Amino acid sequence: MHKSSLCRHRLLALAALWLAVIGVACATDTAPDVVLRGQLQGADNHTYREVPFKVPEGVNRITVQFESTGRDEHTTVDLGLIDPAGFHGQQGLRGWTGGSKQLFTVGAVDATPSFAPGPIQPGRWALLLGIPNIRPASKAEFTAKIWFGHPGDPAWLPAVLNPPLRKEAGWYRGDLHMHGAHSDGSCPTQSGGARAPCPLFFTVDDAAKRGLDFIALSDHNTISQANDIRELQPYFDRLLLIPAREITTFEGHANLFGTTEPLDFRLGSASVPDWNALLAQAATLHGVLSINHPIRPNDETCMGCGWTPSKPVDMRRVQAIEAVNGMDALSPTYTGIPFWQDQLNKGLHLTGIGGSDNHNAKVALPMPGGSTAIGLPTTVVHASELSMKAILDAIRAGHVFIDVQGSRDRLFDMVASVGNQAAEMGDSLSASAGSTVRVTMHATAMDQAKAEIIMDGKLFQLEENLAIHGAKQTLSFDWPSDGKRHWVRANVRDAGGAFLIVGNPIYVN
Ligand SMILES: [Zn+2]
Ligand SMILES: [Zn+2]
């Protein structure tokens, strides 16, 4: 997060008459750290100019937004970026975008195409301006806003790089677990004669074709996919790409969403003796952490897969449990639901989520022993907008249900109310002994299915019939509170008993 310490930074004074540095802004998260302004005139035609700025210690990302006037007169400004080595021969040019991009970022692990990611050295950097055209009598002004990023910043900063794809609140559908070329995802090669690491584009394109609103790209212990995301996200303007990684250890797997910072995963090493140390490290990165497929074997059939920490883990540093993994659709024995519900019974508030764990973007259907399709299951999130921060905030809050079979249209919500309080899935409610809690559910696109209520991990027997008839149905029941602590959630199953929906809990008292 940006801190007030950023306000320390001050620009070097620039003497040239044509350029004045007019401000250093640091009041809010969205204000730039540096603003450079200058003028161009006819004599600048066919020249290059360096506009220097100082990068302080501790910066790991530079983001630039450039604007210039005079386009109506065909004044054109090309852009590049020079690092502290200076631009000499083959050295020092960090990238050149010509006139193609007015907004770009260069970070330690990712950069806008045209630029190379890598360490950001403190010192004198410069925008390199090229002026291919300005008429002899023309004048133009330019402004470059510059934001600095810092280790520990979440992946949604700076905000200028990550505008919401949709600004309205709603239920957004996504897949939170998949692998491509950046880890062990593979697909048939062009000729079909072999398999190759599967290019990330196919994964993203497949998710878009399935109508998903967001996906998390969760390769094993790497964040190299973040650089590809810089290329793909501007094109995929209806599918939010969330950088993630599957922290993959000998004692279990966990997804960490929303950060591109490095993380030491070597459990048992001096720096990360156990999962508690690893979780403490992850907690500084402002992401959301989910334990994946907890009830898998941890043996030669699936090395490190099951959640088998060598020491008791402080689960307060965990935000979510992968209750439904795509592979579990093939082996229901390994569902994460009992593990998740055990944690809820201990008083923890953990969100149940789902992820396909797809390893082959081109697979269309679940295949025995193979990969499941992207979007199977789908995690559906009630978020204030379609942005990385809003989706992750809503997952933290538990405003989520799992669409187990990955439909495009099933919706499910549950609200519990008592007096003038109302709580949706993930929320808490206080209900004194003797008060009546009204629970209301809305089910869409689940004709002939039936809801069931789980309270404190056990099937809750109800007089009410929770059968669903028709495309939209409201179900409700009353529950007399005993004033004690409980959690209540719902599943929906089809006529054959298969899961359609796994809902998240509402916490009572
Ligand atoms: Zn895994
Ligand atoms: Zn995985």
Side-chain angles (χ1 to χ4, degrees):
M1 299 290 186
H2 286 196
K3 301 180 185 72
S4 58
S5 62
L6 294 190
C7 300
R8 289 198 309 263
H9 310 325
R10 291 292 180 269
L11 283 178
L12 58 163
L14 295 165
L17 282 177
W18 46 264
L19 178 70
V21 175
I22 61 133
V24 177
C26 52
T28 69
D29 278 354
T30 52
D33 293 295
V34 173
V35 180
L36 306 170
R37 289 179 201 253
Q39 293 176 343
L40 300 170
Q41 54 196 13
D44 293 311
N45 195 37
H46 288 195
T47 64
Y48 294 99
R49 180 187 294 180
E50 289 190 19
V51 185
F53 58 98
K54 185 180 177 187
V55 174
E57 296 274 352
V59 168
N60 69 351
R61 175 179 300 287
I62 298 170
T63 301
V64 178
Q65 187 175 42
F66 186 85
E67 287 170 18
S68 58
T69 62
R71 291 182 173 237
D72 49 336
E73 297 176 311
H74 295 280
T75 302
T76 305
V77 184
D78 289 346
L79 283 176
L81 187 66
I82 297 172
D83 71 20
F87 189 12
H88 311 289
Q90 306 287 306
Q91 283 194 337
L93 184 67
R94 199 57 174 261
W96 177 253
T97 182
S100 71
K101 299 172 193 80
Q102 307 294 300
L103 174 65
F104 61 86
T105 192
V106 180
V109 297
D110 61 86
T112 302
S114 307
F115 297 88
I120 303 295
Q121 305 294 347
R124 180 195 187 275
W125 287 65
L127 286 181
L128 177 59
L129 309 187
I131 299 94
N133 191 59
I134 184 167
R135 294 175 187 167
S138 291
K139 283 190 164 41
E141 298 191 342
F142 66 81
T143 304
K145 296 176 183 169
I146 301 175
W147 290 261
F148 296 138
H150 301 85
D153 280 356
W156 54 85
L157 290 180
V160 67
L161 272 183
N162 301 285
L165 300 194
R166 285 166 63 182
K167 288 185 175 162
E168 65 275 18
W171 288 100
Y172 291 110
R173 314 180 83 86
D175 186 343
L176 291 166
H177 191 162
M178 62 196 69
H179 302 270
H182 293 271
S183 56
D184 52 350
S186 69
C187 52
T189 56
Q190 182 186 14
S191 71
R195 293 182 73 82
C198 203
L200 187 58
F201 175 84
F202 289 120
T203 297
V204 177
D205 194 46
D206 196 64
K209 285 173 179 156
R210 288 184 64 87
L212 296 179
D213 301 307
F214 65 90
I215 53 174
L217 303 157
S218 57
D219 288 292
H220 296 289
N221 287 338
T222 184
I223 41 171
S224 63
Q225 67 279 35
N227 195 48
D228 284 10
I229 290 175
R230 292 288 169 211
E231 178 186 335
L232 294 169
Q233 183 70 86
Y235 172 80
F236 288 96
D237 56 357
R238 294 198 296 196
L239 175 65
L240 177 70
L241 307 180
I242 300 176
R245 88 201 72 189
E246 186 169 17
I247 304 169
T248 304
T249 77
F250 304 136
E251 302 175 12
H253 297 181
N255 272 2
L256 179 60
F257 306 106
T259 172
T260 57
E261 292 295 304
L263 183 77
D264 191 343
F265 57 86
R266 298 168 297 171
L267 276 195
S269 66
S271 53
V272 194
D274 56 29
W275 262 107
N276 288 316
L278 208 162
L279 294 175
Q281 193 195 150
T284 64
L285 303 177
H286 311 292
V288 165
L289 190 132
S290 158
I291 295 176
N292 293 347
H293 46 70
I295 309 180
R296 280 267 186 87
N298 185 352
D299 58 21
E300 289 182 345
T301 64
C302 200
M303 288 170 277
C305 293
W307 181 249
T308 51
S310 57
K311 286 186 193 156
V313 169
D314 181 356
M315 294 291 286
R316 291 171 300 181
R317 287 216 161 106
V318 175
Q319 288 82 47
I321 303 290
E322 192 181 63
V324 183
N325 177 284
M327 307 284 189
D328 298 334
L330 311 173
S331 308
T333 331
Y334 299 143
T335 168
I337 294 172
F339 177 89
W340 171 42
Q341 295 189 154
D342 283 351
Q343 310 308 312
L344 299 176
N345 282 342
K346 289 174 188 163
L348 292 155
H349 291 198
L350 292 168
T351 304
I353 62 172
S356 69
D357 213 352
N358 176 275
H359 282 68
N360 177 356
K362 295 186 166 186
V363 74
L365 292 166
M367 293 161 68
S371 204
T372 57
I374 291 168
L376 185 73
T378 295
T379 300
V380 191
V381 177
H382 195 210
S384 60
E385 61 182 19
L386 182 56
S387 68
M388 206 187 308
K389 182 171 190 308
I391 293 291
L392 295 180
D393 281 349
I395 291 174
R396 257 190 220 99
H399 299 160
V400 172
F401 68 87
I402 306 168
D403 181 341
V404 177
Q405 298 182 3
S407 80
R408 291 178 182 235
D409 55 355
R410 286 181 190 141
L411 285 174
F412 182 80
D413 67 42
M414 181 165 91
V415 174
S417 54
V418 58
N420 56 9
Q421 302 175 69
E424 68 168 300
M425 290 184 284
D427 292 346
S428 300
L429 186 78
S430 41
S432 54
S435 63
T436 298
V437 178
R438 178 93 176 147
V439 179
T440 305
M441 295 165 278
H442 298 99
T444 302
M446 287 181 276
D447 189 21
Q448 305 303 316
K450 190 172 181 187
E452 65 187 21
I453 302 301
I454 309 293
M455 186 174 286
D456 306 326
K458 298 194 183 78
L459 190 64
F460 188 61
Q461 299 301 332
L462 278 172
E463 310 247 314
E464 287 82 353
N465 179 5
L466 299 182
I468 298 167
H469 300 288
K472 279 185 191 257
Q473 181 151 353
T474 300
L475 305 164
S476 60
F477 65 93
D478 288 337
W479 173 68
S481 174
D482 58 6
K484 294 179 184 161
R485 188 183 215 181
H486 298 280
W487 59 265
V488 60
R489 63 170 203 85
N491 297 319
V492 180
R493 296 177 187 260
D494 69 12
F499 279 121
L500 300 182
I501 298 294
V502 172
N504 264 279
I506 293 171
Y507 303 93
V508 182
N509 298 318

